Amino acid sequence: MTDDKGILGRDGYGRAMSSSSPENSIEARPSDFAQQHFPGAASQNAPWLRDEMLAMLDHWVDWRSHRFSQDLDLPAAGRRSMGRRRLSARLSALRDALTEETPTFTPRYIAHMKSDLSLPAILGWFAALLHNPNNTSREASRVGSVIETEAIAHLATMLGYDADQAQGHFTSGGTVANFEAMWRARYRLDHCLALALHLSETSGERLDPFAAAHMGWDRFRALWAEHGLTEAALKPCSAMAGNPPDIYRRISKAAGQDYLGPVVLAPGNRHFSWDKAVNLLGLGREALWSVRLDARGRMDLEDFEKKILAAREQGRPVLMTVAVAGTTEMSAIDPLDHLFDRLDAWQQQKGWHIWRHVDGAYGGFFRAMLGGDAEGVLTSDTRAALAAMGRADSITIDPHKLGYIPYSCGAFLTSGAQTYAVSAFDAPYLTRQDLAAGKWASTLEGSRSASGAAATWLTAETLGFGPEGLGDILAGTIQARRSLEADVREAIPQARFLPGDANIACFTLAQTGEPLSVTNARTSEAFEFFQHSPAFAVSRTTLGKDGAAVKAAHLATYGGQDDSEDLVVIRLVVMSPYWCEPTVRAEMTTQFVAELAQALKASTTMPTETCEL
């Protein structure tokens, strides 16, 4: 991963850069750190940003002017001045229209996983945009592809992978990155099943689809060598290289029972992209098995084990298990350490190599907190879960969320080359020569901008993806969320908060002992109040049957009556770096409490005697 470090991997003094320590060695706490690396809620850093943007434009223009200075200037067209006037006019109209866009830069925006952009992200993105490299291949992106390699190495180090072994690339977002993971898991499963089917049909021995699909690459290689197998021999047994219904029919015959295809295990609060993925890859909605959640909104490991054993009983391979690091509803972080311990035990005892994927689209960056003072903000179980992330076969992460990078910028990473292998039916231990010139053959997306990679690279090289850099800021947002919760609870007793592992707060507005249907109505009314108020932007979400344990535990905290299938909550995403500043935090909290009090006062469901807050 670091073969090209001579181009971008060293600073101006020839020193190797580190993703864990920002080059500028700022020793400020999160509030000061955020002030130096972000534009500022009131654009306090605008003069410096303007200077850097103008310098970048000048540098770009100078490069273009002198790159082929021998070329003749094109003659000016007579319509050019008129065209420029029209362009200026329409550009002005566009600028004015965009002032009506949602102001996500302000700490008042706590609605969704979106916040202000960091200065290195803005500058890195803009720098690559001017040159417009296409990371589909080295020919179309001589420097952009190197930037991507180094940026992936930075992310790999932060996530607990060996950067010299890890593989990956940037995507348009977490959805495509999750598709990439399932594509690769299916590649491994298909190879293993094809080999097992070939051996079963040639030997007459009964096929066990579950055991065969989970044999792992080491066993696959051993059997390949033992039986002198070739690509030509296995291709006719591959569902992906041939006709899937016919291959399923042959597997059923060899197994002595109907083969119903693989399943995917994912928690009930999974991202909607997983529902899309099983549809897109032709598995069918039934193949996506939901794992129950516990009272904190995390994956229930007991139910996970039951579903694995149910799949085993039905002879249905587990294409992949999906765990979430930072759920979109509550920022819950699944117990990755205990989950992987269970998978490791099955691997050692039964030979089951089950693909493990971490959807860290939102919370993957919380791993930047580990290894320094910042991790003290996390509970011990959350620290242990994040520390285990590097044990995954593949990981999704979205720099355009907690990396404070512009949209759209996701990333997909694997632990090494064999987990990154995909597409062609070839021996997985052979080097894919076609990848040397670019990743077009191994990515779902063909054309891919280098801007996100450049923004991520510059952020890693300056702010840093360690506990003294980005991790420090993220620790500040978690502290801000807890402080906000405490102040709201004290001022408004009806605000009942759900548990949260990171910087998302969810609450209902409930009177002691009342029916949930009434609480849901009041919470929805408060959300609508905020929708029509310019003071704060919040969001609303609903926890359904998959969150039954969360709902039951929440109702128990105030004696609520369960008369509704769903739990409606107001959701606050406290990810703005400006919440790290104590004065900003205090001012925003005071104003939010006042606004929430007004929302309760306007509610039609509040008893008269409790409306004065």
Side-chain angles (χ1 to χ4, degrees):
M1 299 260 330
T2 56
D3 291 343
D4 298 301
K5 289 204 77 164
I7 298 178
L8 288 169
R10 299 184 178 277
D11 65 14
Y13 299 96
R15 300 173 301 201
M17 302 296 290
S18 168
S19 63
S20 60
S21 298
E23 182 269 337
N24 49 17
S25 300
I26 296 174
E27 298 179 356
R29 298 322 309 153
S31 58
D32 299 323
F33 210 60
Q35 288 175 14
Q36 296 183 48
H37 286 86
F38 287 81
S43 299
Q44 292 92 333
N45 287 323
W48 180 86
L49 177 60
R50 183 181 294 110
D51 289 345
E52 290 295 335
M53 295 285 276
L54 290 175
M56 193 160 16
L57 276 173
D58 289 342
H59 185 275
W60 176 67
V61 170
D62 186 66
W63 170 73
R64 289 170 61 103
S65 300
H66 294 89
R67 185 66 176 86
F68 294 104
S69 57
Q70 72 276 15
D71 291 354
L72 297 175
D73 290 337
L74 294 175
R79 294 175 297 177
R80 183 162 297 173
S81 60
M82 182 180 298
R84 286 180 179 173
R85 286 198 296 271
R86 176 171 174 76
L87 175 58
S88 295
R90 300 316 295 155
L91 177 59
S92 179
L94 176 61
R95 286 196 301 259
D96 291 342
L98 287 172
T99 60
E100 298 301 315
E101 187 54 86
T102 305
T104 55
F105 65 87
T106 172
R108 294 179 180 276
Y109 183 85
I110 46 178
H112 295 286
M113 297 167 169
K114 191 177 179 184
S115 182
D116 206 2
L117 304 174
S118 74
L119 292 171
I122 294 171
L123 294 168
W125 187 282
F126 187 62
L129 174 67
L130 291 175
H131 293 268
N132 197 32
N134 178 1
N135 279 358
T136 186
S137 71
R138 286 287 174 91
E139 289 184 2
S141 182
R142 294 170 61 184
V143 176
S145 56
V146 177
I147 293 172
E148 178 174 46
T149 298
E150 293 198 8
I152 287 294
H154 280 303
L155 291 174
T157 299
M158 182 193 71
L159 294 170
Y161 281 154
D162 179 346
D164 290 327
Q165 300 297 322
Q167 300 284 319
H169 60 272
F170 284 82
T171 68
S172 60
T175 292
V176 174
N178 286 338
F179 292 172
E180 293 273 10
M182 191 175 289
W183 191 27
R184 284 159 173 77
R186 189 180 68 173
Y187 172 84
R188 187 179 79 172
L189 179 142
D190 183 60
H191 272 63
C192 293
L193 277 180
L195 184 149
L197 177 61
H198 171 80
L199 295 181
S200 177
E201 290 182 335
T202 54
S203 69
E205 294 184 6
R206 185 168 180 170
L207 172 64
D208 181 345
F210 187 91
H214 303 129
M215 70 174 68
W217 284 127
D218 288 344
R219 179 62 177 157
F220 179 92
R221 286 194 290 267
L223 289 172
W224 177 288
E226 178 184 343
H227 295 276
L229 298 176
T230 64
E231 179 182 340
L234 293 195
K235 215 166 189 178
C237 298
S238 164
M240 297 303 101
N243 182 285
D246 180 58
I247 299 300
Y248 279 25
R249 177 190 59 79
R250 289 164 59 187
I251 291 175
S252 298
K253 182 179 179 181
Q257 68 180 66
D258 288 341
Y259 177 63
L260 301 179
V263 298
V264 175
L265 269 61
N269 54 4
R270 63 186 175 272
H271 189 257
F272 59 77
S273 58
W274 295 108
D275 297 76
K276 291 182 178 180
V278 293
N279 181 285
L280 184 67
L281 270 67
L283 301 179
R285 179 63 181 76
E286 183 276 337
L288 184 57
W289 289 11
S290 289
V291 180
R292 190 173 61 216
L293 305 179
D294 65 16
R296 294 188 61 86
R298 301 167 177 168
M299 178 188 287
D300 185 313
L301 294 183
E302 182 178 344
D303 190 56
F304 170 80
E305 185 163 345
K306 287 180 180 178
K307 284 187 166 54
I308 289 283
L309 298 179
R312 174 72 181 91
E313 181 69 22
Q314 296 176 30
R316 302 187 66 177
V318 178
L319 177 63
M320 66 190 310
T321 64
V322 179
V324 182
T327 60
T328 54
E329 289 91 355
M330 301 165 56
S331 70
I333 295 173
D334 286 336
L336 305 179
D337 50 332
H338 297 300
L339 173 66
F340 294 163
D341 286 346
R342 178 69 272 181
L343 292 172
D344 284 345
W346 281 330
Q347 184 172 316
Q348 295 168 5
Q349 298 164 11
K350 302 177 182 294
W352 297 349
H353 292 252
I354 298 175
W355 192 285
R356 51 187 82 176
H357 178 77
V358 175
D359 186 349
Y362 181 64
F365 277 103
F366 287 122
R367 207 179 184 286
M369 298 167 61
L370 302 185
D373 293 342
E375 72 175 31
V377 174
L378 302 168
T379 60
S380 58
D381 53 346
T382 299
R383 283 199 302 273
L386 291 172
M389 196 176 295
R391 295 164 62 187
D393 291 302
S394 55
I395 299 174
T396 288
I397 189 168
D398 272 351
H400 65 213
K401 291 187 174 75
L402 287 178
Y404 301 98
I405 305 292
Y407 279 101
S408 54
C409 180
F412 170 72
L413 294 92
T414 71
S415 56
Q418 69 178 13
T419 45
Y420 192 67
V422 76
S423 187
F425 194 95
D426 54 8
Y429 48 88
L430 299 179
T431 302
R432 290 282 301 279
Q433 296 299 326
D434 59 334
L435 300 185
K439 294 191 173 183
W440 59 270
S442 60
T443 60
L444 287 172
E445 297 166 291
S447 298
R448 295 182 300 109
S449 169
S451 289
T456 304
W457 179 87
L458 190 57
T459 302
E461 296 275 330
T462 54
L463 174 58
F465 289 158
E468 291 81 31
L470 180 63
D472 214 2
I473 292 175
L474 296 182
T477 67
I478 294 176
Q479 290 173 318
R481 187 269 295 173
R482 291 175 180 166
S483 175
L484 175 63
E485 280 190 17
D487 290 344
V488 171
R489 277 198 191 97
E490 182 177 357
I492 301 177
Q494 292 83 6
R496 318 279 183 170
F497 284 86
L498 281 67
D501 292 331
N503 57 8
I504 297 179
C506 293
F507 68 93
T508 63
L509 293 166
Q511 293 284 100
T512 301
E514 72 180 2
L516 178 56
S517 57
V518 176
T519 300
N520 283 344
R522 183 181 305 114
T523 305
S524 295
E525 280 187 339
F527 171 74
E528 293 300 328
F529 180 91
F530 276 97
Q531 286 289 91
H532 295 90
S533 168
F536 288 91
V538 303
S539 56
R540 172 179 58 188
T541 192
T542 301
L543 303 180
K545 64 179 182 179
D546 289 319
V550 177
K551 182 180 71 171
H554 184 65
L555 291 174
T557 62
Y558 64 92
Q561 304 172 39
D562 189 357
D563 68 341
S564 178
E565 291 186 359
D566 299 327
L567 176 67
V568 177
V569 301
I570 290 176
R571 174 172 164 269
L572 312 177
V573 184
V574 190
M575 65 175 282
S576 170
Y578 307 123
W579 278 85
C580 297
E581 169 57 50
T583 57
V584 172
R585 183 188 310 172
E587 180 181 354
M588 290 296 101
T589 299
T590 299
Q591 293 189 35
F592 181 81
V593 168
E595 198 72 11
L596 183 57
Q598 288 300 314
L600 270 180
K601 193 171 183 179
S603 173
T604 62
T605 64
M606 283 296 290
T608 306
E609 63 274 14
T610 61
C611 283
E612 294 299 326
L613 298 171

